[in-house]
Amino acid sequence: MKLRGIFAGAVFLAIPLAGSAPARAANVDLALVLAIDVSSSVNEERFQLQTRGYAAAFRNPLVADAIAQGPEGAIAVTYVHWAGYGQFQQVLDWTVLSERADVERFGSAIAETSRTLTGSTSVSGAIDFSARLLRNAGHNARRQVIDISGDGMNNQGRLASTARDQAVAAGITING
């Protein structure tokens, strides 16, 4: 998969974003999993590219403005590292974002993360893990989205297309 600078656009399409508090059950416009590839094929430069891209998106005032414009004025977001099948780390817990300062803080928290895993590449595992996080988030979300970034082919676990199709059938949008 190509890394794309589409996150900010994806957020605008995925819609309503909001301020931040550690996640409690909430009505939100969007439940969003940010899932970045930290497998062995991702060198430090690519890891930093992914991390800086997400951090910059949340530090952009337009993102906070878009969140505030949603019917609920809030999103729930979590940040995940993934590699081989069974190698997943929820690096930042679910956080409800509604205020500009909270959105910016979440961006800063992303920027401060360091790589937690390495290994094979399981896109299907990343989708399955992210879908499970969405199911168990406890938020009443108008939309559920997995924003997955990576640079390699699925080389472990089930077919990525099978995982994708199951997630989409469950009402989850996947940006990748």
Side-chain angles (χ1 to χ4, degrees):
M1 288 187 240
K2 287 185 178 180
L3 293 173
R4 294 184 254 167
I6 61 163
F7 173 71
V11 170
F12 291 114
L13 292 175
I15 312 229
L17 315 176
S20 135
R24 292 175 291 243
N27 291 331
V28 294
D29 297 302
L30 173 68
L32 176 64
V33 177
L34 304 173
I36 75 164
D37 182 357
V38 294
S39 66
S40 299
S41 64
V42 175
N43 62 23
E44 185 61 24
E45 181 182 350
R46 288 180 181 162
F47 171 75
Q48 290 299 323
L49 178 65
Q50 294 176 100
T51 302
R52 285 191 313 261
Y54 281 132
F58 280 94
R59 290 175 173 160
N60 186 322
L62 295 174
V63 172
D65 292 346
I67 290 170
Q69 292 174 18
E72 300 295 338
I75 67 168
V77 62
T78 187
Y79 184 70
V80 170
H81 288 174
W82 63 274
Y85 199 84
Q87 294 179 291
F88 318 108
Q89 176 76 39
Q90 188 176 8
V91 179
L92 298 176
D93 288 333
W94 283 107
T95 304
V96 175
L97 304 176
S98 60
E99 302 295 326
R100 179 173 285 181
D102 295 329
V103 177
E104 291 173 3
R105 261 194 299 280
F106 192 78
S108 294
I110 290 172
E112 294 170 13
T113 63
S114 56
R115 189 180 199 132
T116 60
L117 304 165
T118 191
S120 297
T121 304
S122 182
V123 177
S124 61
I127 293 169
D128 291 341
F129 180 74
S130 297
R132 191 168 38 257
L133 286 174
L134 287 166
R135 277 193 308 275
N136 297 325
H139 300 290
N140 180 22
R142 293 173 178 267
R143 296 199 59 215
Q144 295 183 326
V145 174
I146 299 168
D147 195 273
I148 188 167
S149 66
D151 76 342
M153 300 293 292
N154 191 63
N155 61 26
Q156 201 175 55
R158 66 188 182 142
L159 293 174
S161 59
T162 302
R164 177 206 59 218
D165 292 348
Q166 261 188 334
V168 169
I172 298 169
T173 299
I174 300 176
N175 297 325

